[in-house]
Amino acid sequence: MTDPRPLGADEAAFLAAVRSGDPARFARITERHRRELRVHCYRMLANYEDAQDLTQETFLRAWHKRESFKGHAALRTWLYRIATNACLDFLDKRNDRTPVPTGLPGPDSEVLYLQPYPDRMLPEDPQESVVARETIELAFIVAVQHLPPRQRAVFILRDVLGWPAPKAADALDLTAASVTSALQRARATMREQLPDRRLDWRRPATHELSNDERDVVQAYMDAHERNDLAGLTSLLRDDLRFAMLPERGTSSATAKDAVDGWVSGGLFQPGHDDWRCTTTTVNRMPAAVLYLRTPEAPEHRLFAIAVLHVVDGKIAELTGFDATDKPWLGVPPTL
């Protein structure tokens, strides 16, 4: 794999580390790429914990293959190639990493292994293309999971990272023609999965939450803390899509039916009506962190994180995640 570029300082330092055989020196140079590689693995796998593991696997493979790096390609390119193929190897061995039917009418499906990606773990450089908001939002990550693994890799390398076809082909041991064909099929699937969203992923996209999003998440938290069911209902669109992962059963319901369902499940009833909330952001999306105190508990304990997709001032999609035993989310276990 070659890039049309002279040997850079990063590559020269890496080659010197390889020659030295010093694993600590090797780690210092490769570590600076950890965050962007983890985002790349997350796009491939939709699961933060899997992405962490495969990023570490990438560094282990890079160490074992260090002598194969000759500086003909950028170090970043070389690491992305290793990470992509590590993810493909992982997917080859797993039969539980594909979307499953929702049970709703039509061809809808859900990704039960989906996990949120904490914004605090994204690359720190705001100009880095891998953190463009529209390529990390939950809807995009879910849509990508509907692609077969190799198509998924082609799509991410070509349309998200902007690699030319020959470079992507080299990384995947494919021909440029097969990469072009796979990309066309992947784009068609993405258009089906995201019919109302633009598909030019490399156009500049804002990283900031809108005032609408901030206002809605605050109102959502206030309604929880007041047990204000009417207020909560007013925040939801009548074509709301709701999922509570990793449980199975995405639902599409009117605002009233959604709230009635939560109440019939025991929420907002005596013993499950003492809420405290705080905000966070995951996948460049607003989220409410929900804490519940039950009668036997001395404090409010982490209950769930609700990720909100806000459209025209209302919640169009609400994806809830079990937030317990996930320290990487960076939220306290109690309030």
Side-chain angles (χ1 to χ4, degrees):
M1 178 187 289
T2 60
D3 288 340
R5 56 186 297 283
L7 187 67
D10 210 21
E11 291 70 42
F14 184 79
L15 286 170
V18 168
R19 286 192 294 270
S20 75
D22 182 353
R25 188 173 176 184
F26 173 93
R28 284 195 299 272
I29 295 168
T30 53
E31 182 65 25
R32 70 190 66 167
H33 298 281
R34 179 180 292 276
R35 289 195 173 205
E36 61 176 301
L37 289 171
R38 186 166 50 210
V39 170
H40 178 61
C41 293
Y42 176 74
R43 286 204 186 95
M44 287 287 295
L45 306 173
N47 183 284
Y48 183 85
E49 290 167 322
D50 289 344
Q52 283 184 307
D53 291 345
L54 269 294
T55 303
Q56 193 59 35
E57 173 66 15
T58 296
F59 289 139
L60 289 173
R61 291 190 184 194
W63 171 252
H64 291 306
K65 296 179 178 181
R66 62 192 183 279
E67 298 292 346
S68 70
F69 183 80
K70 305 300 182 185
H72 301 312
L75 175 60
R76 182 176 183 265
T77 298
W78 187 69
L79 291 171
Y80 266 95
R81 175 178 184 154
I82 295 173
T84 302
N85 284 284
C87 290
L88 290 173
D89 290 345
F90 172 86
L91 292 169
D92 282 345
K93 296 173 184 175
R94 300 292 292 261
N95 58 10
D96 63 342
R97 287 296 184 265
T98 55
V100 299
T102 62
L104 295 174
D108 285 350
S109 57
E110 59 188 340
V111 177
L112 298 180
Y113 51 91
L114 177 69
Q115 290 182 335
Y117 199 106
D119 282 11
R120 68 188 185 88
M121 302 306 292
L122 289 167
E124 296 172 351
D125 181 359
Q127 302 304 314
E128 176 54 63
S129 63
V130 297
V131 296
R133 178 172 179 178
E134 292 186 335
T135 65
I136 196 69
E137 286 185 345
L138 291 179
F140 178 91
I141 298 299
V142 168
V144 168
Q145 299 305 298
H146 288 79
L147 302 175
R150 203 156 295 274
Q151 274 188 37
R152 193 182 308 175
V154 167
F155 176 77
I156 292 171
L157 293 177
R158 292 280 284 115
D159 273 13
V160 177
L161 298 181
W163 286 21
K167 184 175 175 181
D170 197 13
L172 298 170
D173 292 324
L174 299 172
T175 65
S178 62
V179 162
T180 299
S181 176
L183 181 60
Q184 290 172 346
R185 295 194 300 274
R187 286 172 174 170
T189 301
M190 294 297 286
R191 282 193 292 270
E192 293 173 0
Q193 294 296 321
L194 299 171
D196 300 325
R197 306 199 185 191
R198 69 171 176 82
L199 300 180
D200 180 6
W201 309 113
R202 283 172 285 165
R203 271 176 40 196
T206 179
H207 298 157
E208 300 300 323
L209 298 185
S210 68
N211 290 333
D212 258 2
E213 289 173 314
R214 292 191 181 91
D215 291 346
V216 168
V217 73
Q218 185 62 55
Y220 177 84
M221 294 190 303
D222 290 346
H224 265 79
E225 292 188 351
R226 297 196 307 268
N227 284 280
D228 179 2
L229 300 184
L232 186 59
T233 303
S234 71
L235 294 170
L236 308 176
R237 279 175 48 142
D238 263 354
D239 57 351
L240 174 76
R241 287 182 62 86
F242 167 72
M244 183 67 201
L245 297 174
E247 297 175 12
R248 188 166 183 165
T250 295
S251 64
S252 181
T254 67
K256 182 178 184 304
D257 286 345
V259 174
D260 287 348
W262 297 335
V263 171
S264 67
L267 300 182
F268 305 103
Q269 298 294 314
H272 289 82
D273 58 352
D274 188 354
W275 299 94
R276 292 293 180 271
C277 308
T278 186
T279 59
T280 189
T281 54
V282 297
N283 297 78
R284 299 288 192 197
M285 302 175 72
V289 187
L290 308 178
Y291 293 81
L292 178 65
R293 187 175 69 174
T294 54
E296 68 278 5
E299 54 196 351
H300 291 81
R301 294 176 180 168
L302 184 60
F303 180 76
I305 180 170
V307 185
L308 311 179
H309 176 51
V310 178
V311 177
D312 297 329
K314 292 210 169 188
I315 299 169
E317 298 172 15
L318 194 162
T319 307
F321 293 95
D322 177 2
T324 57
D325 300 320
K326 295 179 178 61
W328 44 268
L329 280 171
V331 296
T334 60
L335 277 186

